[in-house]
C-alpha cells in the first residue's frame, strides 16, 4: 500500500509567513560559496544538498492522509484542510469511490470536507466509517448556516455511513481494519490497516499516559508489530507537562509507545501550528537522538510532511 500525506498540522492551518520565508532565504545565502555558483551543475548540487527544512516545507494543512491499496482502492483518513489539496492534485480512483475514516470530529479533522471537489460530483460514492454514532449529524451541521453557504443536500447522494465497533477487525476493500480508543478530549480513535502482511497505523490526537502502555487486546490488535505508525507528536516534553489533558503527546512518549508495541517506524504528525520548519527539524533531530539512545538504529523516526509518501 501507498500512504501519502496531504495535511500534517494540528489544531488549525498554519501558512508560511513572510518572515519565515525571509529567514529561509537568509539561511540559504549564508551557505553559498563561490564554488556553488560556478556552473549550472554546481548550482543544482548546492540546491539538492540543502537541508529539508530549507529546500521545502513541512506544510500547513490540517490532518488528511490518503491510502492507496495494492488493488487501487482509495482510503482517506480524516478530512482536515489537506483534503482540499488531495481533491485538486491526486488522481481520482478508477471506480470513483472513496472510503473515509474519521478519528474524531474536532474541527481541524473535518473542516476540509466541504472543499473536497468529489463530494459534489454525483458520479462519486463514499463510505464513511466512524465509531461515533452521530457522525452524519456532525458533518451535516458543519455545512449549515451560518457556518457554510452550501448545505449537505448539495453533495452526492451516494454517501453511506458505517459505525465501527472498536476492537473488532473488519474488512474494507480487501484490507483488514481495526480501531481502538485513545485518550483525547471527547475521545479519539486510532486505526490499523493491514494488507498483504503489512500493517499501517494512523494514531492522531493521542495523549499518552501510564495506562496507554498497559496491554489490552484492543491496543494489541491495532499497534502490535506494525510496520509504520503515524503518531501525534505535537509537543515537546516541557509543553506536554504544561498542557496536561489537552490531548496530545511529546515525541519521546510516542517513541517509547512505538517501541513497546514493536513498531518498526514512526512518523511524527499533528505538528504544532506555531512551529516553523526549522523548529520541526530540530525536534526531528532530538527525536532521532532519543531513539538511538533507547534502541538500536533499526527503529526509524521521520517527520510527516505534506506530499511525502510511505510505501509498504
Amino acid at each position: 500500500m501507498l500512504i501519502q500525506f496531504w495535511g500534517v498540522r494540528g489544531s488549525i492551518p498554519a501558512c508560511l509567513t513572510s518572515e519565515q520565508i525571509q529567514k529561509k532565504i537568509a539561511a540559504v545565502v549564508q551557505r553559498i560559496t563561490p564554488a556553488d555558483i560556478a556552473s549550472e551543475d554546481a548550482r543544482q548540487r548546492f540546491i539538492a544538498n540543502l537541508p529539508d527544512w530549507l529546500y521545502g516545507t513541512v506544510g500547513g494543512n490540517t490532518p488528511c492522509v490518503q491510502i492507496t491499496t495494492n488493488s487501487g482502492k482509495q482510503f482517506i483518513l480524516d478530512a482536515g484542510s489537506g483534503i482540499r489539496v488531495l481533491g485538486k492534485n491526486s488522481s481520482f480512483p478508477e471506480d470513483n469511490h472513496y472510503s473515509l475514516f474519521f478519528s474524531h470530529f474536532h474541527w481541524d479533522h473535518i473542516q476540509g470536507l466541504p472543499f473536497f471537489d468529489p463530494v459534489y460530483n454525483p458520479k462519486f460514492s463514499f463510505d464513511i466509517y466512524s465509531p461515533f454514532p452521530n457522525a452524519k449529524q456532525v458533518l451535516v451541521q458543519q455545512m449549515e448556516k451560518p457556518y457554510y453557504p452550501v448545505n449537505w443536500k448539495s453533495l452526492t447522494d451516494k454517501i453511506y455511513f458505517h459505525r465501527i465497533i472498536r476492537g473488532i477487525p473488519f474488512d474494507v476493500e480487501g484490507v483488514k481494519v481495526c480501531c481502538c480508543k485513545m485518550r483525547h478530549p471527547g475521545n479519539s480513535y486510532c486505526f490499523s490497516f493491514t494488507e498483504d502482511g503489512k500493517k499501517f497505523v494512523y494514531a492522531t490526537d493521542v495523549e499518552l499516559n501510564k495506562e496507554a502502555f498497559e496491554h489490552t487486546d484492543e491496543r494489541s490488535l491495532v499497534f502490535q508489530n506494525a510496520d509504520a505508525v503515524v503518531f501525534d507528536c505535537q509537543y515537546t516534553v516541557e509543553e506536554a507537562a504544561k498542557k496536561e489533558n489537552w490531548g496530545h503527546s511529546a515525541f519521546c512518549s510516542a517513541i517509547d509507545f512505538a517501541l513497546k508495541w514493536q513498531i518498526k517506524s514512526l512518523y511524527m504528525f499533528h505538528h504544532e501550528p506555531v512551529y516553523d520548519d526549522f523548529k520541526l527539524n530540530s525536534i526531528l533531530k532530538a527525536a532521532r537522538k532519543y531513539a538511538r539512545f533507547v534502541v538500536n538504529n533499526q527503529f526509524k523516526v521521520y517527520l510527516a510532511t505534506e506530499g511525502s509518501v510511505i510505501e509498504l
Side-chain angles (χ1 to χ4, degrees):
M1 70 179 84
L2 296 177
I3 300 104
Q4 184 162 0
F5 296 104
W6 296 98
V8 297
R9 290 281 176 173
S11 303
I12 194 169
C15 298
L16 275 172
T17 65
S18 296
E19 181 182 8
Q20 289 170 358
I21 294 172
Q22 290 162 11
K23 286 182 177 179
K24 283 176 179 279
I25 294 172
V28 171
V29 171
Q30 290 171 0
R31 286 168 163 77
I32 298 175
T33 68
D36 293 324
I37 56 175
S39 67
E40 178 62 26
D41 286 344
R43 288 192 290 271
Q44 291 301 321
R45 284 196 301 272
F46 172 76
I47 293 172
N49 289 322
L50 286 172
D52 289 342
W53 72 271
L54 281 177
Y55 188 67
T57 181
V58 168
N61 284 295
T62 54
C64 181
V65 177
Q66 178 187 31
I67 296 175
T68 303
T69 71
N70 294 336
S71 61
K73 304 297 182 180
Q74 291 199 21
F75 298 175
I76 299 175
L77 318 180
D78 282 333
S81 61
I83 199 173
R84 184 193 71 85
V85 187
L86 187 161
K88 301 290 186 185
N89 295 283
S90 176
S91 298
F92 296 136
E94 291 185 3
D95 58 0
N96 291 337
H97 176 266
Y98 290 98
S99 297
L100 273 66
F101 297 81
F102 283 94
S103 62
H104 64 308
F105 294 109
H106 284 170
W107 200 9
D108 52 328
H109 294 258
I110 66 172
Q111 63 191 169
L113 187 62
F115 300 90
F116 185 44
D117 293 343
V119 298
Y120 296 95
N121 190 331
K123 295 181 180 179
F124 282 78
S125 62
F126 299 83
D127 283 294
I128 295 180
Y129 298 88
S130 166
F132 294 91
N134 62 337
K136 182 175 181 179
Q137 178 185 357
V138 172
L139 296 176
V140 169
Q141 286 176 338
Q142 182 188 209
M143 297 183 66
E144 291 180 350
K145 295 179 180 179
Y147 309 113
Y148 199 71
V150 181
N151 63 33
W152 185 266
K153 293 180 181 179
S154 300
L155 308 185
T156 175
D157 59 2
K158 300 173 185 175
I159 300 179
Y160 311 100
F161 287 82
H162 309 271
R163 186 181 178 188
I164 299 171
I165 305 301
R166 52 189 266 210
I168 300 179
F170 60 101
D171 181 272
V172 178
E173 305 283 8
V175 176
K176 186 174 80 171
V177 183
C178 193
C179 85
C180 70
K181 185 172 74 172
M182 300 295 280
R183 187 172 183 238
H184 188 72
N187 295 327
S188 181
Y189 291 83
C190 303
F191 296 95
S192 66
F193 302 87
T194 304
E195 182 184 34
D196 294 342
K198 297 291 186 178
K199 183 195 283 189
F200 167 71
V201 178
Y202 178 69
T204 184
D205 292 63
V206 173
E207 183 171 3
L208 292 169
N209 59 5
K210 183 179 179 181
E211 181 185 347
F213 287 81
E214 296 175 359
H215 184 279
T216 67
D217 290 342
E218 187 177 315
R219 281 194 283 271
S220 179
L221 279 169
V222 170
F223 291 104
Q224 188 69 53
N225 296 323
D227 294 278
V229 60
V230 169
F231 208 96
D232 181 339
C233 295
Q234 183 162 343
Y235 297 144
T236 62
V237 177
E238 181 181 5
E239 288 167 331
K242 291 179 179 178
K243 297 180 177 180
E244 187 177 358
N245 298 322
W246 284 40
H248 303 287
S249 295
F251 66 81
C252 56
S253 298
I255 290 171
D256 290 341
F257 185 82
L259 293 174
K260 182 259 189 303
W261 292 106
Q262 299 177 299
I263 296 171
K264 297 179 180 65
S265 59
L266 169 75
Y267 289 78
M268 300 165 63
F269 186 72
H270 206 271
H271 307 309
E272 170 63 43
V274 302
Y275 291 168
D276 61 14
D277 290 314
F278 178 78
K279 173 74 169 181
L280 290 170
N281 183 68
S282 299
I283 292 174
L284 174 62
K285 288 181 178 179
R288 285 176 169 171
K289 184 176 181 179
Y290 178 77
R292 287 194 298 271
F293 176 75
V294 296
V295 74
N296 60 40
N297 289 329
Q298 292 179 345
F299 178 75
K300 304 298 183 182
V301 182
Y302 304 94
L303 199 65
T305 61
E306 288 183 24
S308 61
V309 178
I310 306 169
E311 183 175 358
L312 294 181

